[in-house]
Amino acid sequence: MTEQYVLDLQEADGTQAAVVGGKGAHLGGLSRIEGIRVPDGFCVTTDAFRRIMAEAPSIDDRLDQLSRLDPDDREAIRTLSAQIRRTIEGIAVPADVATAITGALARHGEQAAYAVRSSATAEDLPTASFAGQQDTYLNVMGPAAILQHVSRCWASLFTERAVTYRQRGGIDHRTVQMAVVVQQMAFSQAAGILFTADPVTGNRKVATVDAGFGLGEALVSGLVNPDVFKVRDGEVVAKAIAAKQRAIHALPAGGTREVAIDAQQQEQPALTDAQAVRLVQLGRRIEAHFGRPQDIEWCLVDDDFQIVQSRPITTLFPIPETGDEENHVYVSVGHQQMMTDAMKPLGLSMWQQTAMVAMHEAGGRLFVDVTGRLASPASRAGLLDLVGRGDPLVKDALETVLDRDDFVPPVPDAGPGGPPSGGASAPAEPDPAIVTELIERSQASIAALERDIRTKTGPALFDFLIEAFGEHKRVLGDPLTMQAIMAGMEATWWLNDKLQEWLGEKNAADTLTLSAPDNITSEMGLALLDVADVIRPHPEVVAFLEGVEDEGFLDELAKLAGGAEARDAIEAYLDRYGMRCVAEIDISRPRWRERPTSLVPVILDNVRNFEPGVAARRFEQGRQKAREKEQEVLSRLRDLPDGDRKADDTKRMIDQVRAFVGYREYPKYDIVSRYFVYKQALMAEAERLAQAGVLDAKEDIFYLTFQELHDVVRSQRVDHRLIQQRMEAFRSYQALTPPRVLTSDGEAVTGAYRRDDAPAGALIGLPVSAGTIEGRARVILDMADADLEAGDILVTTFTDPSWSPLFVAVAGLVTEVGGLMTHGAVIAREYGLPAVVGVDRATRLIRDGQRIRVHGTDGYIELLS
């Protein structure tokens, strides 16, 4: 195959990124769109780059060295990347490559001024923009200068920032090639950037135009603050005109310089409103061509817009696909389930198959469409009340959307609202015996599932699972289950509302619910303390566990003194709780039973930090505190007017909350227990597919939906390209932060706490477990990295039930996600830990090791050091 060293821009298109790089491919695509003007030019292809790299064999060794460096070792990266750049710039451009470039210049105008711009094969991709990673040179004149700047662009593939970006993204340096775009200069009066979606809110209907005088470099390099225009539906809806003191202009003999802008002109807008609207119309045409929102660099030359770059905006959260043009409002499922990480396709589809309501996928997360409930005034009040008690930020975000009168048009009432918010008298209490009955029913149903699934394989397994999902929903949807959960929640709300009204006490229920019975999640944390008690007396076992890396360590354990007992204790724990893990709603995540090493650091922390018998003592102390609180509250109530009635109602509610609040955690345990049974059957199927050569690896099934996996099992064929695309998409979703509320316009609505009762500089959140604690913050994003000491305060993104073994070792809790009745809050109250949840960006604003004070009663955190 003959090398092709240059290709005209008009010949390039989106399919040729491997030849002309991301920028070249986009520019080629742009030049084909009707009505879009792109400055004329050509690309120096990746064939030319490979030719140059072959001229310097020493680069290969250096690339090997580079790939072995830690992305944080900046000094070593700086030194090695500078050596590679010098080597590339020192290579004379081979004669045939130089001839191809000078020939292209002769065709396009040898005396013209050009912009010479890097175009790497791994930039401007849908999942990674690499914006600003490589170099651009403006106003370059004459063949010699252009050849020199092409060399510099090749070398810029190895700038320190480009190398670090690739290493952090896990991209192999050898897989990235560099093409170079050589394009006629656009001598602009104004230039800037157009985002066809609002880059801050994500709203796809609002375009943002940044504009400054002169060449666009002044804006891109941060030299000036731009004018900002917001355009919606063909009109400027907001603008901010900046004082633009500097601009970059082209020099007649080549190159550029910075100039001061005349004082009278500084405050003048760089564009008229009409020009901004016209530019956005061009942007919408470009967006339609590429099929997604774009970040576009533009120049204004004699009242005519020229487009010099367009790339996808990679930071926007995707929108659920509905196939209609109606307005929709979505609430995040992850914020309610305490798991906001991206999920793999099998995890998403399994949750959709077994959920009680329809769920929509976007960005690797699930959302519930609440538009219908918001549109009806009666159901709206109930929905807002329910979400407000759980997470005030979701309620505020929904109210923000409702305040835009036209987004959710009201419809006539269609049925009753949500739960009552606690009237004057106590709600009727159900029989506490239903908790025992519900737990027994759940255990019997799971035992039947385990028994019946054993014989099922191939397509018959999938037919069986579809029936099992029906039983799964029937158990969860049992009216008694909802009655038991609501009984605990309503009693909690009633106690908090009434005791604040009658006694002026905030969150009194927090103490009254300490050590409530039947809480499977808090029992799980205490049970791991008992495991530590078995291990603590055996130094050989402790030493062995400190070095454990292999998942088969339980078999090895039995060979040590005291090891058999230790193994039996861990095995018994795994029999009861081994189906749990961090982010357990995603079936693809490894369970403790599959990866028991993940429990070892927590067991060792418990061995180190606690005395024997602490689990039983803690539970008893909690029960004692709750009993004393009950006596104190009832005696104070009896001294009030109408005190006997108030005390009697309160006593009934305390009995109700203690009987039912622990059960709140059981349905999740039921779901996760079933999930592990489903997973084991599906993994056995995946093993068979991998052995038959249908799959490359059994874990590939995680990138298929349940239905797609069913089809693969039936046909014994798989689309490997689809799996690859899904892996790449999942990687890109991991970098996104899901919003609590998302609209069909793509707007991420965060919500705010409307409060002014916290000191200046405090971080505001939701108070979920009373008390105040001061201590060292441990910012922990992965439970396996926990290294806790007594008195530490756990700060993390979210906690699901799998984190509860850590709760026994900490003195307080702060999370970014959560509500009054989510798992972290329930367990914090159980253990009497002051806790504040729903603290926006807590893991970034609080430093690991910093001293903080958590105000669990009032819902804020003070940063002390």
Side-chain angles (χ1 to χ4, degrees):
M1 181 183 107
T2 57
E3 263 70 27
Q4 181 175 22
Y5 295 132
V6 297
L7 192 66
D8 271 6
L9 270 183
Q10 277 71 19
E11 297 174 71
D13 67 26
T15 63
Q16 289 170 298
V19 180
V20 295
K23 190 174 288 160
H26 272 261
L27 284 167
L30 282 167
S31 64
R32 287 179 163 69
I33 306 171
E34 199 179 329
I36 302 298
R37 286 202 50 198
V38 175
D40 199 20
F42 60 91
C43 296
V44 181
T45 68
T46 52
D47 281 349
F49 175 74
R50 276 191 292 274
R51 180 75 197 280
I52 284 292
M53 294 294 273
E55 300 276 320
S58 66
I59 289 179
D60 246 12
D61 299 337
R62 290 193 177 135
L63 288 182
D64 284 339
Q65 286 173 266
L66 203 54
S67 63
R68 288 196 293 271
L69 292 179
D70 182 322
D72 295 321
D73 188 348
R74 295 181 57 179
E75 194 49 49
I77 289 175
R78 186 177 301 131
T79 307
L80 202 49
S81 54
Q83 287 172 3
I84 296 172
R85 285 199 305 282
R86 278 198 301 276
T87 305
I88 294 172
E89 285 186 40
I91 298 168
V93 178
D96 50 348
V97 176
T99 303
I101 294 171
T102 52
L105 283 173
R107 287 198 307 281
H108 288 277
E110 203 167 283
Q111 295 316 306
Y114 288 88
V116 181
R117 312 167 73 196
S118 311
S119 178
T121 54
E123 69 179 308
D124 299 344
L125 307 175
T127 55
S129 76
F130 286 76
Q133 294 305 309
Q134 279 90 36
D135 291 352
T136 287
Y137 302 95
L138 299 178
N139 203 30
V140 183
M141 299 164 93
I146 283 169
L147 285 173
Q148 182 192 9
H149 285 87
V150 166
S151 274
R152 285 185 182 170
C153 283
W154 286 329
S156 77
L157 189 60
F158 297 100
T159 60
E160 185 189 343
R161 65 175 183 268
V163 166
T164 306
Y165 190 93
R166 288 196 294 272
Q167 283 188 251
R168 288 194 194 288
I171 296 165
D172 180 353
H173 301 297
R174 279 192 176 73
T175 61
V176 186
Q177 310 281 321
M178 180 66 87
V180 182
V181 173
V182 180
Q183 205 177 6
Q184 287 193 357
M185 269 296 288
F187 295 106
S188 52
Q189 288 86 49
I193 298 163
L194 156 64
F195 297 97
T196 64
D198 188 319
V200 178
T201 68
N203 194 323
R204 310 304 202 260
K205 298 222 170 133
V206 176
T208 302
V209 178
D210 289 1
F213 294 122
L215 303 179
E217 275 314 278
L219 240 63
V220 175
S221 62
L223 181 66
V224 294
N225 289 327
D227 297 338
V228 181
F229 299 81
K230 301 249 182 218
V231 178
R232 183 181 181 128
D233 298 331
E235 63 173 320
V236 174
V237 291
K239 66 179 165 184
I241 305 304
K244 299 169 288 297
Q245 294 167 345
R246 325 282 300 158
I248 290 177
H249 286 181
L251 293 169
T256 61
R257 74 182 171 115
E258 201 180 298
V259 296
I261 295 176
D262 197 47
Q264 288 87 38
Q265 202 196 351
Q266 285 180 10
E267 307 256 351
Q268 292 294 314
L271 292 179
T272 64
D273 284 10
Q275 284 172 328
V277 168
R278 180 152 53 95
L279 175 61
V280 170
Q281 284 166 346
L282 295 176
R284 293 280 175 232
R285 204 175 287 182
I286 294 168
E287 178 182 67
H289 174 84
F290 289 117
R292 54 189 302 159
Q294 297 287 302
D295 157 358
I296 296 165
E297 291 175 32
W298 56 269
C299 302
L300 181 68
V301 184
D302 303 328
D303 197 35
D304 190 13
F305 285 106
Q306 298 195 17
I307 305 300
V308 294
Q309 176 61 308
S310 183
R311 60 171 77 89
I313 308 177
T314 56
T315 53
L316 297 175
F317 200 85
I319 308 171
E321 285 176 25
T322 55
D324 65 33
E325 294 297 304
E326 303 297 313
N327 287 350
H328 294 271
V329 182
Y330 302 98
V331 171
S332 159
V333 172
H335 284 82
Q336 288 152 352
Q337 289 295 338
M338 298 298 284
M339 207 298 269
T340 53
D341 289 353
M343 290 167 73
K344 290 178 184 151
L346 187 63
L348 292 163
S349 71
M350 290 293 281
W351 195 260
Q352 284 170 310
Q353 294 272 348
T354 51
M356 306 305 285
V357 292
M359 291 184 178
H360 306 266
E361 185 272 330
R365 278 67 168 201
L366 291 170
F367 294 86
V368 173
D369 187 342
V370 294
T371 323
R373 290 181 70 185
L374 286 177
S376 152
S379 61
R380 175 193 308 159
L383 175 69
L384 291 174
D385 182 53
L386 193 62
V387 299
R389 285 180 179 278
D391 184 343
L393 292 177
V394 174
K395 181 183 183 186
D396 189 75
L398 290 175
E399 286 174 336
T400 303
V401 175
L402 287 168
D403 286 345
R404 299 169 193 159
D405 300 333
D406 54 343
F407 197 82
V408 182
V411 298
D413 278 343
S421 52
S425 65
E429 70 259 38
D431 177 1
I434 67 172
V435 169
T436 313
E437 188 186 328
L438 284 166
I439 290 173
E440 283 169 0
R441 280 190 205 175
S442 158
Q443 288 171 341
S445 172
I446 290 168
L449 171 69
E450 288 175 329
R451 185 187 64 236
D452 298 343
I453 204 168
R454 279 187 197 130
T455 56
K456 307 291 187 289
T457 60
L461 169 66
F462 287 82
D463 297 339
F464 173 81
L465 282 172
I466 289 162
E467 279 180 43
F469 298 158
E471 164 70 359
H472 180 126
K473 288 190 194 177
R474 193 192 63 70
V475 171
L476 281 178
D478 185 330
L480 278 184
T481 296
M482 206 55 210
Q483 208 182 334
I485 290 173
M486 289 313 296
M489 284 165 71
E490 284 176 353
T492 304
W493 296 338
W494 189 94
L495 286 166
N496 281 337
D497 290 351
K498 291 298 164 197
L499 297 180
Q500 178 145 19
E501 182 190 326
W502 294 335
L503 300 175
E505 271 218 30
K506 274 188 186 174
N507 305 342
D510 292 3
T511 311
L512 294 166
T513 53
L514 288 172
S515 298
D518 295 315
N519 186 320
I520 189 84
T521 309
S522 66
E523 286 167 7
M524 178 168 78
L526 296 174
L528 207 57
L529 289 171
D530 292 337
V531 172
D533 284 356
V534 175
I535 289 167
R536 195 178 290 105
H538 305 293
E540 216 180 312
V541 172
V542 174
F544 171 77
L545 289 176
E546 277 164 353
V548 152
E549 284 176 9
D550 178 22
E551 296 302 342
F553 74 92
L554 288 170
D555 297 333
E556 294 298 306
L557 204 51
K559 300 171 187 169
L560 307 173
E565 292 162 74
R567 183 199 58 196
D568 292 349
I570 295 172
E571 283 285 2
Y573 187 85
L574 289 172
D575 287 345
R576 184 139 167 78
Y577 304 110
M579 76 296 285
R580 308 219 85 149
C581 67
V582 172
E584 60 193 7
I585 69 169
D586 182 352
I587 199 170
S588 73
R589 293 291 190 108
R591 312 281 133 181
W592 289 342
R593 173 51 86 187
E594 296 169 309
R595 196 175 284 174
T597 53
S598 52
L599 286 175
V600 170
V602 192
I603 294 172
L604 290 170
D605 276 350
N606 287 351
V607 167
R608 200 173 55 241
N609 293 334
F610 295 102
E611 297 292 314
V614 69
R617 281 200 304 280
R618 278 206 163 185
F619 191 76
E620 193 42 51
Q621 282 161 0
R623 218 163 54 179
Q624 204 53 45
K625 265 193 196 162
R627 201 175 298 129
E628 286 162 13
K629 184 70 181 172
E630 175 182 329
Q631 286 161 354
E632 177 224 320
V633 162
L634 296 177
S635 102
R636 285 168 65 198
L637 286 172
R638 289 205 171 89
D639 293 339
L640 300 177
D642 196 17
D644 286 346
R645 181 190 64 79
K646 288 173 179 164
D648 290 348
D649 278 355
T650 301
K651 172 66 176 145
R652 288 211 330 275
M653 286 294 101
I654 291 172
D655 290 347
Q656 179 167 324
V657 87
R658 289 196 69 78
F660 289 103
V661 80
Y663 181 72
R664 164 76 180 75
E665 292 291 297
Y666 202 87
K668 185 81 168 270
Y669 177 76
D670 178 292
I671 292 171
V672 177
S673 299
R674 289 171 194 279
Y675 264 31
F676 192 38
V677 180
Y678 306 152
K679 182 178 187 180
Q680 287 171 304
L682 290 173
M683 290 315 287
E685 211 53 50
E687 185 76 61
R688 283 188 281 274
L689 289 168
Q691 281 174 352
V694 178
L695 295 177
D696 293 337
K698 62 183 184 206
E699 289 76 17
D700 286 357
I701 69 165
F702 298 150
Y703 298 96
L704 299 170
T705 65
F706 178 76
Q707 187 53 55
E708 287 165 349
L709 179 54
H710 190 176
D711 295 341
V712 169
V713 168
R714 267 207 308 264
S715 68
Q716 294 290 297
R717 278 206 310 277
V718 73
D719 180 349
H720 292 285
R721 265 201 334 268
L722 175 70
I723 289 175
Q724 204 50 47
Q725 285 164 0
R726 294 270 177 81
M727 285 178 177
E728 284 165 21
F730 175 70
R731 268 200 295 275
S732 72
Y733 295 155
Q734 284 177 298
L736 299 175
T737 302
R740 281 178 165 80
V741 170
L742 178 67
T743 72
S744 47
D745 286 353
E747 186 178 358
V749 193
T750 47
Y753 293 106
R754 312 282 171 188
R755 286 172 41 194
D756 51 13
D757 58 349
L763 308 181
I764 307 287
L766 178 65
V768 295
S769 184
T772 301
I773 191 74
E774 189 177 307
R776 176 179 76 150
R778 290 311 318 270
V779 180
I780 296 172
L781 301 179
D782 181 344
M783 195 171 134
D785 300 335
D787 179 13
L788 296 165
E789 289 173 19
D792 282 349
I793 296 167
L794 174 61
V795 180
T796 189
T797 326
F798 59 78
T799 62
D800 58 11
S802 68
W803 286 72
S804 63
L806 290 189
F807 283 27
V808 297
V810 297
L813 174 70
V814 178
T815 67
E816 293 181 352
V817 176
L820 202 55
M821 295 308 291
T822 46
H823 306 277
V826 172
I827 304 307
R829 289 194 290 272
E830 272 283 306
Y831 289 165
L833 303 177
V836 180
V837 301
V839 181
D840 190 36
R841 294 178 302 138
T843 58
R844 278 169 277 179
L845 297 173
I846 298 171
R847 291 191 320 278
D848 186 46
Q850 186 171 23
R851 283 197 74 73
I852 62 173
R853 188 179 297 130
V854 177
H855 294 263
T857 309
D858 296 311
Y860 63 87
I861 293 105
E862 286 180 279
L863 308 178
L864 302 177
S865 65

